[in-house]
């Protein structure tokens, strides 16, 4: 009986040290460009809201939004636990991935309630420069969360079926990086939009 032939690595297509099954380099590059986008929008918002003559932060539901923000930030902790269980081959990780998606959905519900509250006061995106920046930043952030929800649900269902093999480790790592980034961005947005009484 002959030994199985060793698979040779093609020099033009290396399998180690580059973005691949276990190296989410592509996601890191995407997040780096995302950081630039959010920073530029935040700087523009901080600069332009000085000329805003409307109610500004006074119209926002700070306490309500803080409660929904805790839900989003806690979801990062749930995701960390899910990743740990998944690495151990525990299918119960699937429920935690799904719970993370539910918590993200809850946050979006809170954002929707905030928009409804503002709309009831006639504070739309074109009300003044403060709300132009507010809606731009929060909608962009919300779209990121919305994009992550089906991915979390998909990973969760795969985990429950025992389908999270090593081949999908890169996808898991990329998703975790994306979700933690979204949570971290909201820390900054919440402080600037809801808490900081700067210009």
């Amino acid at each position: 009986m002959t030994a199985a032939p060793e698979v040779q690595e093609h020099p033009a297509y290396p399998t180690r040290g580059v973005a691949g099954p276990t190296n989410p380099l592509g996601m890191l590059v995407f997040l780096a460009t995302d950081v630039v986008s959010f920073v530029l929008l935040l700087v523009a918002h901080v600069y332009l809201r000085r000329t805003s003559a409307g109610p500004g932060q006074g119209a926002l539901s700070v306490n309500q939004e803080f409660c929904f923000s805790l839900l989003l930030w806690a979801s990062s902790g749930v995701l960390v636990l899910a990743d740990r269980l998944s690495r151990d081959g525990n299918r119960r990780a699937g429920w935690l991935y799904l719970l993370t998606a539910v918590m993200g959905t809850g946050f979006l519900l809170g954002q929707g309630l905030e928009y409804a509250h503002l709309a009831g006061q006639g504070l739309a995106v074109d009300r003044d420069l403060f709300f132009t920046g507010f809606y731009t930043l929060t909608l962009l952030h919300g779209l990121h969360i919305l994009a992550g929800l089906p991915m979390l649900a998909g990973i969760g269902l795969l985990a429950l079926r025992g389908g999270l093999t090593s081949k999908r480790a890169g996808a898991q790592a990329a998703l975790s990086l994306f979700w933690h980034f979204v949570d971290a961005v909201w820390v900054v947005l919440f402080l600037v939009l809801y808490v900081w009484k700067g210009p």
Side-chain angles (χ1 to χ4, degrees), residues 109-177:
L109 174 63
Q111 198 67 68
L113 293 174
E114 179 72 295
Y115 291 160
H117 168 72
L118 294 174
Q121 303 177 65
L123 301 174
V125 66
D126 58 349
R127 173 61 174 81
D128 57 32
L129 289 175
F130 176 87
F131 287 103
T132 298
F134 173 83
Y135 281 109
T136 300
L137 286 163
T138 55
L139 280 171
L140 179 60
H141 179 262
L143 287 175
H144 280 69
I145 293 180
L146 192 62
L149 296 181
M151 293 188 283
L152 285 167
I155 289 288
L157 293 176
L158 277 173
L160 289 173
R161 293 165 49 192
L164 286 185
T165 63
S166 58
K167 293 181 179 180
R168 294 190 170 94
Q172 282 181 265
L175 176 58
S176 294
L177 281 172

Side-chain angles (χ1 to χ4, degrees), residues 54-70:
Q57 287 176 319
L60 302 179
S61 306
V62 180
N63 292 334
Q64 172 184 285
E65 195 59 31
F66 179 69
C67 292
F68 284 104
S69 297
L70 289 177

Side-chain angles (χ1 to χ4, degrees), residues 2 4 25 30 37 52 56 86 101 103 126 130 136 161 175 188 199:
T2 59
L25 178 61
F30 169 75
S37 299
S52 177
S86 177
M103 296 170 82
D126 58 349
F130 176 87
T136 300
R161 293 165 49 192
L175 176 58
V188 178

